[in-house]
Each structure stands twice: as structure tokens, then as C-alpha cells.
Amino acid sequence: MRCVWGRSKHAERVVPRIAVLGSTGSVGRMTLEVASSLGPEFEVVALAAGRRVHALAEQAAETGARSVAVRDEESAKTLAAAMPSGARPEILVGPEGLERIASRADVDIVVLAIVGGAGLPAALAAARAGKRLALANKESLVMAGDLVMAEAARHGAEVIPVDSEHSAIFQAMACGRRSEVKGVVLTASGGPFYRLAQREHGHVTAKQALDHPTWSMGPKITIDSATLMNKALEIIEAHHLFGLSADEIQVLIHPESTVHSLVEFVDGSVIAQLGRPDMRTPIQYALTYPERRPSPWERLDLASLGRLRFEKPDWEKFPALQLGYEVIRRGGTLGAALSGADEVAVGAFLENRIRFTDIVPLVKRVLEAHRWIAAPSLDEILAADAWAREEATKCLPLSSLSK
Ligand code: NDP
Ligand code: MG
């Protein structure tokens, strides 16, 4: 049976129309690959990216996208000049451009693959327009999960996780009722430095940190994976997506990145989802759900893997993890402050302005100084994010690197 798209207003449509926001990035490019491999039944009608306009122009020409958004006016001019003759999509600019694409009447699925807090306006717009939101951008939930999920519920939007752990949980949750779930286990590869002695962490370079052992991803999430901040963000993401409390979310280190996450039910059954560490699988599932379609990608070969290991995380070596639980417990604007500070800290590390071991203390320092609001409006959330970025930037010269 074919799936029916866009809920009641599009009930008769069987060809879902997709907008890919962040199409020039790691998840965005894989989404276009998946859409193309699914064939003409899946149509890409809109794209958005930041500044890689030449790549975006090529994608727009290849997909025949009707609408394309970029970050700023300058990128829009370069894009217009770079478009091959004949291809004339509408060109939009900035957060308003993203919002317009996310709420277009001819879009059924919004794949949100923008990195960082820049994804939030589009997440809210897609939720308010009642779209299927195939969500890779975890920062929007970390910043404003209560709002995004409430708007989605109010407007009948489906939020389907793309992040591999959350896709695994989403799939495993289907094996029982929500009231029958005892808890979940989020798996973490541990990143490139999990086995490295803590005293060595201060000397690791951005190049080493960008070399993830199992996943190939964009720079921010790769650094977040090395500090385990990515897992902290994912703890918060799981809380919002599935309504789980801090006590219901456990983290285990699983270096093979094969078991993407697990759900434990009240009867003691544990349901896991396994697969190769390849984002194309959860991306495809978010597009075809509730169906499964054949895929051409390399398949999991358990015999050649031999064994799968699991262990409790080292909390002392990776203090970022604890921050995820703290944000769930306190809520309010703390997630926005965490997200904003982390973006600045990761950016500073990538520019060699601070050391790897400065990232988490810098974020913690910002959280300690944060004047927290318990039940914030969207404006207050955006203000907390802006404040945290400013505060983190101010702290940069004070970090241990400069001493
Ligand atoms: P990348 O850095 O590879 O790509 C980010 C994308 O966002 C690029 O297309 C970039 O455009 C675009 N972008 C950045 N800022 C803006 C802006 N202001 N306006 C419009 N577009 C913008 O990131 P990833 O693909 O790795 O990650 C994307 C999101 O998915 C992140 O939130 C990440 O945590 C999450 N995720 C990623 C996974 C992965 O395997 N990569 C796995 C699970 C989750 P441009 O480059 O043209 O400037
Ligand atoms: Mg993940």
C-alpha cells in the first residue's frame, strides 16, 4: 500500500514533494541522493543552503527545484549568476526565506538539515504549516523543543526523527504502547578520543577531532561527537521527541555504531534497531514512513563485525554528558543557552582559538552565568541564545589557552 501524504489536505496525493533545507551539507546531500534513488515518486521542489552557492546552483538545476533560499543577499546575487541558463527558480533570502520554503503549499515533507540554531525558524514554520518535518537539526529541539512539539501537535504536523539514534527509538517504539516503555538507551560511538588518556585531550587538534571513527558528518556535529556534547544534545532531543524524563534516558558507549539505540519495555523486552553507520537509512525511513522501501546501499554484515561492545560512559572524562540531563531537569531557556554557547565554543576550537579541553568548560561557564527563565516565549528563547553566544565570545580570551 502506498502512503498518503500531508494528512487530510493532501490525502489524495501519492507523490510527496520535498524541501531540503541545508541541502549542501552532509545530511542534505545524502537526502538528495536518497530522493533520487527512490525515483520519480519523490519530487524535490525546494532547496536551501547557507553560502555554498555553486553547489546549490548545481543541485537546483539537477532537481528542477522551484524555490531556493540562501543565507544573505550577497549569496543570492552569486546564486542568480551561477544558475545555468534555463533554470530559473525563485530565490529567497535569510530566515524569512527558510520560513517561506518550509510552509509552501506545494511542500509535503520538510527535511531540516541546517546546522545549529539557524534551523529553528524553519522548524517552527514547518510545524505551523502542518508538514511532515523530517528533523535532522537537533539544535531546534534543544533550544525550543517544547514550542516546536506543541506547534506540531496543534497543527497536525508529524515530526519524524532523522538523527540515527532517534530514528532507531522511533522504530523500536512501534513495538509497544508509550505506557509500556520503561526507558531508552541512546548509544554513542565515543568519538575519536574515547580511549585517549584525559591528559592528552588538551593537545588534540581540530584535524584529529574531525576524523570520526565510524560516521562521516559535518564539522560541528563531528566536534560535538568528540566531546560527547552531541550525546547531551541527543538526550534533550529524545526528551522532546518522545516525552521521556531524564530518568528514562540512559547512554551507553557502543564503539561499532551498529545498534543505533534501544527501547526497553516494562516486560523486560529490549527492542533495538541495527544498521550500518549510514545516515541514508534513517533519512529514507523519514521520507517513506510508514512504508519501507528497498534501498541500494551496502547492508549490515554482522558476521564480519564479529562482536558488539557496550559500556557505561566515563562521566569524568566527558563532563558534557551531564549537561544534557541538567537541561531536561531545569528546562526553560537553559537549552537555548547551551546550544548558543556550544556553537561559539566549537567554532572557536575549529579556528584554533581554544583547545579541545576548553570547549565544555566554556559552555559550563556560560550556563552558570545564565539568568534562566522557566517558561519562556520564543522571543525569550532567541534572546537566551543570542546572550549565550555573546557571553561565550566574551569568555574566549579567558579560556585556559590564553593563560
Ligand atoms: P553540515 O555542516 O554538513 O551542513 C549544514 C548545512 O546547513 C549546509 O547546507 C549549510 O549551508 C546550511 N546552513 C548553515 N547555516 C545556514 C543558514 N543560516 N541558512 C541556511 N542554511 C544554512 O551539517 P550536517 O549535515 O552534518 O548536520 C546538519 C544537522 O543535522 C545538524 O543539526 C546535525 O546535528 C544534524 N545531524 C547530522 C548528522 C550527520 O551525519 N551529518 C547525523 C545526525 C544529525 P552552506 O554549507 O551552503 O553554508
Ligand atoms: Mg545521532
Side-chain angles (χ1 to χ4, degrees), residues 160-165 167-168 171 215 260 273 276 278-287:
I160 313 284
V162 167
D163 208 347
S164 58
E165 295 78 358
S167 175
Q171 294 179 55
W215 293 95
H260 295 310
Q273 187 260 349
R276 292 189 65 255
D278 183 340
M279 285 303 293
R280 290 173 299 190
T281 308
I283 291 169
Q284 174 163 317
Y285 190 64
L287 297 181

Side-chain angles (χ1 to χ4, degrees), residues 22 24-27 49-52 113 115 136 138-139 163 217-218 279:
T24 54
S26 168
V27 173
R51 296 206 176 100
R52 278 181 271 183
V115 63
K138 57 192 79 183
E139 293 88 351
D163 208 347
M217 310 177 284
M279 285 303 293

Side-chain angles (χ1 to χ4, degrees), residues 138 163-166 221 230-231 234:
K138 57 192 79 183
D163 208 347
S164 58
E165 295 78 358
H166 305 77
I221 183 174
N230 182 50
K231 215 44 61 179
E234 291 186 351

Side-chain angles (χ1 to χ4, degrees), residues 288-301:
T288 66
Y289 170 82
E291 286 189 356
R292 292 185 186 273
R293 297 283 180 100
S295 77
W297 333 117
E298 195 184 333
R299 310 193 82 82
L300 179 63
D301 177 0

Side-chain angles (χ1 to χ4, degrees), residues 270-385:
V270 178
I271 310 283
Q273 187 260 349
L274 282 72
R276 292 189 65 255
D278 183 340
M279 285 303 293
R280 290 173 299 190
T281 308
I283 291 169
Q284 174 163 317
Y285 190 64
L287 297 181
T288 66
Y289 170 82
E291 286 189 356
R292 292 185 186 273
R293 297 283 180 100
S295 77
W297 333 117
E298 195 184 333
R299 310 193 82 82
L300 179 63
D301 177 0
L302 277 176
S304 76
L305 270 173
R307 64 179 183 147
L308 300 175
R309 292 163 295 170
F310 300 90
E311 61 184 87
K312 289 197 169 148
D314 184 335
W315 298 90
E316 219 174 286
K317 204 161 156 188
F318 293 95
L321 263 185
Q322 202 54 54
L323 299 178
Y325 291 105
E326 198 178 326
V327 167
I328 295 183
R329 291 202 172 100
R330 288 183 60 202
T333 47
L334 205 63
L338 175 80
S339 174
D342 181 52
E343 264 191 67
V344 170
V346 170
F349 171 66
L350 287 170
E351 290 166 7
N352 296 319
R353 295 173 66 199
I354 59 172
R355 289 189 303 209
F356 181 71
T357 42
D358 292 327
I359 298 174
V360 177
L362 178 55
V363 173
K364 274 180 141 177
R365 187 183 294 195
V366 172
L367 293 188
E368 276 157 24
H370 179 55
R371 291 172 73 173
W372 169 81
I373 300 173
S377 64
L378 177 60
D379 284 346
E380 287 167 330
I381 287 170
L382 295 174
D385 170 62

Side-chain angles (χ1 to χ4, degrees), residues 175-211:
C175 294
R177 297 199 186 98
R178 176 61 189 87
S179 58
E180 295 162 353
V181 171
K182 183 145 193 318
V184 304
V185 177
L186 285 174
T187 53
S189 71
F193 309 131
Y194 199 75
R195 306 271 167 229
L196 192 69
Q198 200 164 2
R199 62 180 180 281
E200 303 294 333
H201 282 200
H203 306 293
V204 303
T205 63
K207 190 168 175 291
Q208 288 169 317
L210 285 171
D211 190 15

